[in-house]
Every structure is written in C-alpha cells, then in structure tokens.
Amino acid sequence: MQDIKQNLADAILKSRTELGLSQEKLAEILGFDSRTILNIENGRGNPKFEKLYPLVRHLNISADRIFYPESVTPQPNLQKLFIMLNDCTEQEVAELLPAVHYLLALMRKRDNSEQ
C-alpha cells in the first residue's frame, strides 16, 4: 500500500509543478486546506475519494501514473499535448484534426527526405 501512496504523491507533485501551481494555489482552487496537498505529496494520510477525485481530475493524472508507473513512458511533450486537447471542446478538436494531419504529413515527408 505504501508504494501506491508514494506513486500518488509523486504523480501529484510532478503534475502540480508542471502546471506551475503552488500547493497553496492548488488547495485554493480545489477548496482544500493546503495541508491536505502537503500531506498527500509527502505520502502521508489516506485521502478520501472526495478529495482524491477532484485533485486527480484537476491535475489530469492518468490512473496508469499511479497504479502502473513502471509502464508509463516519460514523454512530457505528449502529456502536455494530451492535457491541452483534453481542455478542447469537441468542435475545437474537429477543427484541429485536419491541421494536425497536414502538419504530421509535412514533418514525416521532411524526415523521410533527410534520410
């Protein structure tokens, strides 16, 4: 059980700092006491679902980072892209898809010609 607490602590700390949030600011956003964030990040306590759920959702932490950290490959730019896309509306994603396809085709064509 301690491994899961540490995995959770590591995932929350990493996500919070990547988003540039202090423990106090994150606690304020979620309506928590800042000691709650501190305790979770230090692997102390056993957060109730009512605290854990909004925290993990706000920080966009996948369950794999907590329960299967060994299988999560470190791809920080891909994670950032997923977070950005997750904040988009369905309409925004639909409008982005053709641009993404076009850019990928250009990049892959360039990469193939350089080989």
Side-chain angles (χ1 to χ4, degrees):
M1 185 65 156
Q2 185 57 36
D3 287 344
I4 293 173
K5 285 184 182 181
Q6 192 57 52
N7 294 345
L8 176 64
D10 294 343
I12 289 174
L13 174 64
K14 186 175 188 310
S15 294
R16 178 183 60 75
T17 54
E18 284 175 355
L19 291 173
L21 296 171
S22 67
Q23 290 177 340
E24 293 78 15
K25 183 64 179 172
L26 179 59
E28 178 185 322
I29 291 168
L30 297 175
F32 296 171
D33 184 290
S34 60
R35 290 175 292 182
T36 300
I37 307 297
L38 174 71
N39 287 335
I40 293 170
E41 286 185 2
N42 286 324
R44 295 190 304 255
N46 190 10
K48 292 185 178 191
F49 185 76
E50 292 78 16
K51 300 281 184 191
L52 186 60
Y53 181 78
L55 181 61
V56 169
R57 291 281 303 203
H58 185 79
L59 295 175
N60 291 308
I61 299 171
S62 82
D64 287 348
R65 285 181 57 193
I66 299 167
F67 297 106
Y68 304 101
E70 68 283 351
S71 68
V72 178
T73 57
Q75 296 178 319
N77 288 328
L78 187 58
Q79 289 294 332
K80 289 177 186 176
L81 182 59
F82 284 146
I83 290 169
M84 290 173 63
L85 290 173
N86 202 30
D87 285 338
C88 291
T89 65
E90 184 62 27
Q91 179 64 33
E92 290 169 333
V93 171
E95 292 174 10
L96 283 170
L97 277 173
V100 171
H101 284 288
Y102 176 74
L103 290 171
L104 282 173
L106 282 178
M107 290 172 15
R108 290 174 178 162
K109 184 177 179 181
R110 179 198 67 206
D111 291 344
N112 286 337
S113 67
E114 291 176 356
Q115 293 177 357

Short mmCIF file of all heavy atoms in Angstrom, two decimals, residues 53-82:
data_model
loop_
_atom_site.label_atom_id
_atom_site.label_comp_id
_atom_site.label_asym_id
_atom_site.label_seq_id
_atom_site.Cartn_x
_atom_site.Cartn_y
_atom_site.Cartn_z
N TYR A 53 -10.50 12.50 -5.97
CA TYR A 53 -11.10 12.62 -7.30
C TYR A 53 -10.89 14.01 -7.91
O TYR A 53 -10.36 14.11 -9.02
CB TYR A 53 -12.58 12.24 -7.24
CG TYR A 53 -13.26 12.32 -8.58
CD1 TYR A 53 -13.09 11.31 -9.52
CD2 TYR A 53 -14.06 13.41 -8.92
CE1 TYR A 53 -13.70 11.38 -10.76
CE2 TYR A 53 -14.67 13.48 -10.16
CZ TYR A 53 -14.50 12.46 -11.07
OH TYR A 53 -15.11 12.55 -12.29
N PRO A 54 -11.29 15.10 -7.23
CA PRO A 54 -11.08 16.41 -7.85
C PRO A 54 -9.60 16.75 -8.05
O PRO A 54 -9.22 17.42 -9.01
CB PRO A 54 -11.75 17.40 -6.92
CG PRO A 54 -12.02 16.68 -5.66
CD PRO A 54 -11.99 15.22 -5.96
N LEU A 55 -8.76 16.27 -7.16
CA LEU A 55 -7.32 16.53 -7.26
C LEU A 55 -6.74 15.87 -8.50
O LEU A 55 -6.07 16.52 -9.31
CB LEU A 55 -6.64 16.02 -5.99
CG LEU A 55 -5.14 16.22 -5.87
CD1 LEU A 55 -4.78 17.69 -5.91
CD2 LEU A 55 -4.64 15.60 -4.57
N VAL A 56 -7.02 14.60 -8.68
CA VAL A 56 -6.50 13.86 -9.83
C VAL A 56 -7.09 14.40 -11.13
O VAL A 56 -6.40 14.54 -12.14
CB VAL A 56 -6.78 12.35 -9.66
CG1 VAL A 56 -6.52 11.58 -10.94
CG2 VAL A 56 -5.94 11.78 -8.52
N ARG A 57 -8.37 14.75 -11.12
CA ARG A 57 -9.02 15.30 -12.32
C ARG A 57 -8.45 16.67 -12.69
O ARG A 57 -8.17 16.92 -13.85
CB ARG A 57 -10.53 15.43 -12.11
CG ARG A 57 -11.28 14.14 -12.01
CD ARG A 57 -11.54 13.54 -13.33
NE ARG A 57 -12.27 14.50 -14.16
CZ ARG A 57 -13.01 14.19 -15.17
NH1 ARG A 57 -13.13 12.94 -15.51
NH2 ARG A 57 -13.62 15.11 -15.88
N HIS A 58 -8.28 17.53 -11.70
CA HIS A 58 -7.77 18.87 -11.98
C HIS A 58 -6.35 18.83 -12.54
O HIS A 58 -6.00 19.60 -13.42
CB HIS A 58 -7.81 19.76 -10.73
CG HIS A 58 -7.41 21.17 -11.01
ND1 HIS A 58 -8.26 22.07 -11.59
CD2 HIS A 58 -6.23 21.81 -10.84
CE1 HIS A 58 -7.62 23.23 -11.75
NE2 HIS A 58 -6.39 23.09 -11.30
N LEU A 59 -5.55 17.90 -12.05
CA LEU A 59 -4.16 17.78 -12.49
C LEU A 59 -4.01 16.88 -13.72
O LEU A 59 -2.90 16.68 -14.21
CB LEU A 59 -3.29 17.26 -11.35
CG LEU A 59 -3.17 18.18 -10.14
CD1 LEU A 59 -2.39 17.50 -9.02
CD2 LEU A 59 -2.52 19.51 -10.52
N ASN A 60 -5.13 16.33 -14.20
CA ASN A 60 -5.12 15.46 -15.38
C ASN A 60 -4.14 14.29 -15.23
O ASN A 60 -3.34 14.02 -16.11
CB ASN A 60 -4.80 16.25 -16.65
CG ASN A 60 -5.90 17.19 -17.03
OD1 ASN A 60 -7.05 16.78 -17.13
ND2 ASN A 60 -5.57 18.45 -17.21
N ILE A 61 -4.20 13.62 -14.10
CA ILE A 61 -3.32 12.49 -13.84
C ILE A 61 -4.02 11.21 -14.27
O ILE A 61 -5.11 10.92 -13.81
CB ILE A 61 -2.95 12.41 -12.33
CG1 ILE A 61 -2.22 13.68 -11.90
CG2 ILE A 61 -2.14 11.17 -12.04
CD1 ILE A 61 -2.00 13.78 -10.41
N SER A 62 -3.38 10.45 -15.14
CA SER A 62 -3.96 9.18 -15.56
C SER A 62 -3.77 8.14 -14.45
O SER A 62 -2.80 8.20 -13.69
CB SER A 62 -3.34 8.69 -16.86
OG SER A 62 -2.11 8.04 -16.62
N ALA A 63 -4.66 7.21 -14.40
CA ALA A 63 -4.57 6.14 -13.40
C ALA A 63 -3.29 5.33 -13.56
O ALA A 63 -2.73 4.84 -12.58
CB ALA A 63 -5.80 5.23 -13.49
N ASP A 64 -2.81 5.22 -14.79
CA ASP A 64 -1.58 4.47 -15.03
C ASP A 64 -0.40 5.07 -14.26
O ASP A 64 0.47 4.33 -13.80
CB ASP A 64 -1.24 4.42 -16.52
CG ASP A 64 -2.16 3.49 -17.28
OD1 ASP A 64 -2.90 2.72 -16.64
OD2 ASP A 64 -2.14 3.53 -18.52
N ARG A 65 -0.35 6.38 -14.15
CA ARG A 65 0.77 7.01 -13.43
C ARG A 65 0.76 6.63 -11.96
O ARG A 65 1.80 6.65 -11.32
CB ARG A 65 0.72 8.53 -13.59
CG ARG A 65 1.17 8.96 -14.97
CD ARG A 65 1.18 10.43 -15.18
NE ARG A 65 1.99 11.16 -14.23
CZ ARG A 65 1.93 12.48 -14.10
NH1 ARG A 65 1.10 13.19 -14.81
NH2 ARG A 65 2.71 13.09 -13.23
N ILE A 66 -0.39 6.28 -11.43
CA ILE A 66 -0.49 5.92 -10.02
C ILE A 66 -0.34 4.41 -9.83
O ILE A 66 0.44 3.95 -9.02
CB ILE A 66 -1.82 6.40 -9.42
CG1 ILE A 66 -1.91 7.93 -9.51
CG2 ILE A 66 -1.99 5.93 -7.97
CD1 ILE A 66 -3.27 8.50 -9.25
N PHE A 67 -1.09 3.64 -10.62
CA PHE A 67 -1.14 2.20 -10.40
C PHE A 67 -0.13 1.40 -11.22
O PHE A 67 0.24 0.29 -10.84
CB PHE A 67 -2.56 1.68 -10.69
CG PHE A 67 -3.58 2.25 -9.75
CD1 PHE A 67 -4.47 3.21 -10.18
CD2 PHE A 67 -3.63 1.85 -8.42
CE1 PHE A 67 -5.41 3.76 -9.31
CE2 PHE A 67 -4.55 2.38 -7.55
CZ PHE A 67 -5.44 3.34 -7.99
N TYR A 68 0.34 1.96 -12.34
CA TYR A 68 1.32 1.27 -13.19
C TYR A 68 2.43 2.23 -13.61
O TYR A 68 2.69 2.41 -14.80
CB TYR A 68 0.64 0.70 -14.44
CG TYR A 68 -0.50 -0.24 -14.14
CD1 TYR A 68 -1.81 0.20 -14.23
CD2 TYR A 68 -0.25 -1.55 -13.76
CE1 TYR A 68 -2.86 -0.65 -13.96
CE2 TYR A 68 -1.30 -2.41 -13.47
CZ TYR A 68 -2.61 -1.95 -13.57
OH TYR A 68 -3.64 -2.80 -13.29
N PRO A 69 3.11 2.85 -12.66
CA PRO A 69 4.12 3.86 -13.03
C PRO A 69 5.27 3.29 -13.85
O PRO A 69 5.87 4.01 -14.65
CB PRO A 69 4.61 4.39 -11.69
CG PRO A 69 4.33 3.29 -10.72
CD PRO A 69 3.08 2.62 -11.22
N GLU A 70 5.56 2.02 -13.71
CA GLU A 70 6.66 1.41 -14.46
C GLU A 70 6.34 1.29 -15.95
O GLU A 70 7.24 1.20 -16.77
CB GLU A 70 7.02 0.03 -13.89
CG GLU A 70 5.97 -1.05 -14.07
CD GLU A 70 4.77 -0.97 -13.12
OE1 GLU A 70 4.79 -0.18 -12.17
OE2 GLU A 70 3.81 -1.73 -13.34
N SER A 71 5.06 1.30 -16.30
CA SER A 71 4.68 1.15 -17.71
C SER A 71 4.47 2.50 -18.41
O SER A 71 4.28 2.53 -19.61
CB SER A 71 3.40 0.32 -17.83
OG SER A 71 2.30 1.04 -17.31
N VAL A 72 4.52 3.57 -17.65
CA VAL A 72 4.32 4.89 -18.24
C VAL A 72 5.66 5.38 -18.77
O VAL A 72 6.63 5.52 -18.02
CB VAL A 72 3.75 5.89 -17.21
CG1 VAL A 72 3.59 7.26 -17.82
CG2 VAL A 72 2.41 5.38 -16.69
N THR A 73 5.72 5.61 -20.07
CA THR A 73 6.96 6.10 -20.67
C THR A 73 7.04 7.61 -20.50
O THR A 73 6.04 8.30 -20.65
CB THR A 73 7.04 5.73 -22.16
OG1 THR A 73 5.90 6.28 -22.83
CG2 THR A 73 7.10 4.24 -22.37
N PRO A 74 8.21 8.11 -20.18
CA PRO A 74 8.34 9.55 -19.98
C PRO A 74 8.32 10.30 -21.32
O PRO A 74 9.29 10.29 -22.05
CB PRO A 74 9.70 9.69 -19.28
CG PRO A 74 10.46 8.46 -19.66
CD PRO A 74 9.44 7.39 -19.93
N GLN A 75 7.19 10.88 -21.63
CA GLN A 75 7.02 11.68 -22.83
C GLN A 75 6.31 12.97 -22.42
O GLN A 75 5.12 13.13 -22.63
CB GLN A 75 6.21 10.94 -23.89
CG GLN A 75 6.89 9.68 -24.40
CD GLN A 75 6.04 8.95 -25.41
OE1 GLN A 75 4.84 8.82 -25.26
NE2 GLN A 75 6.68 8.47 -26.45
N PRO A 76 7.05 13.89 -21.82
CA PRO A 76 6.41 15.09 -21.27
C PRO A 76 5.69 15.93 -22.30
O PRO A 76 4.63 16.48 -22.02
CB PRO A 76 7.56 15.86 -20.62
CG PRO A 76 8.81 15.27 -21.16
CD PRO A 76 8.49 13.88 -21.61
N ASN A 77 6.22 16.03 -23.53
CA ASN A 77 5.54 16.83 -24.54
C ASN A 77 4.23 16.19 -24.97
O ASN A 77 3.25 16.89 -25.22
CB ASN A 77 6.45 17.07 -25.75
CG ASN A 77 7.55 18.05 -25.42
OD1 ASN A 77 7.37 18.95 -24.61
ND2 ASN A 77 8.69 17.87 -26.04
N LEU A 78 4.21 14.87 -25.04
CA LEU A 78 2.98 14.17 -25.38
C LEU A 78 1.94 14.37 -24.28
O LEU A 78 0.76 14.61 -24.56
CB LEU A 78 3.26 12.68 -25.61
CG LEU A 78 2.11 11.84 -26.12
CD1 LEU A 78 1.57 12.38 -27.44
CD2 LEU A 78 2.56 10.40 -26.28
N GLN A 79 2.38 14.31 -23.03
CA GLN A 79 1.47 14.56 -21.91
C GLN A 79 0.89 15.97 -21.98
O GLN A 79 -0.29 16.18 -21.75
CB GLN A 79 2.19 14.34 -20.57
CG GLN A 79 2.50 12.90 -20.26
CD GLN A 79 1.25 12.07 -20.05
OE1 GLN A 79 0.22 12.57 -19.64
NE2 GLN A 79 1.35 10.79 -20.35
N LYS A 80 1.74 16.96 -22.29
CA LYS A 80 1.27 18.34 -22.40
C LYS A 80 0.24 18.48 -23.52
O LYS A 80 -0.75 19.17 -23.37
CB LYS A 80 2.45 19.28 -22.65
CG LYS A 80 3.34 19.46 -21.45
CD LYS A 80 4.53 20.34 -21.78
CE LYS A 80 5.50 20.40 -20.62
NZ LYS A 80 6.71 21.15 -20.93
N LEU A 81 0.50 17.79 -24.63
CA LEU A 81 -0.44 17.83 -25.74
C LEU A 81 -1.78 17.22 -25.35
O LEU A 81 -2.84 17.77 -25.64
CB LEU A 81 0.15 17.11 -26.96
CG LEU A 81 -0.68 17.11 -28.23
CD1 LEU A 81 -0.97 18.53 -28.71
CD2 LEU A 81 0.03 16.31 -29.31
N PHE A 82 -1.74 16.08 -24.66
CA PHE A 82 -2.97 15.45 -24.19
C PHE A 82 -3.75 16.38 -23.26
O PHE A 82 -4.97 16.48 -23.35
CB PHE A 82 -2.69 14.13 -23.47
CG PHE A 82 -2.34 12.99 -24.37
CD1 PHE A 82 -1.43 12.03 -23.95
CD2 PHE A 82 -2.90 12.85 -25.64
CE1 PHE A 82 -1.10 10.96 -24.77
CE2 PHE A 82 -2.57 11.78 -26.46
CZ PHE A 82 -1.68 10.84 -26.02
#
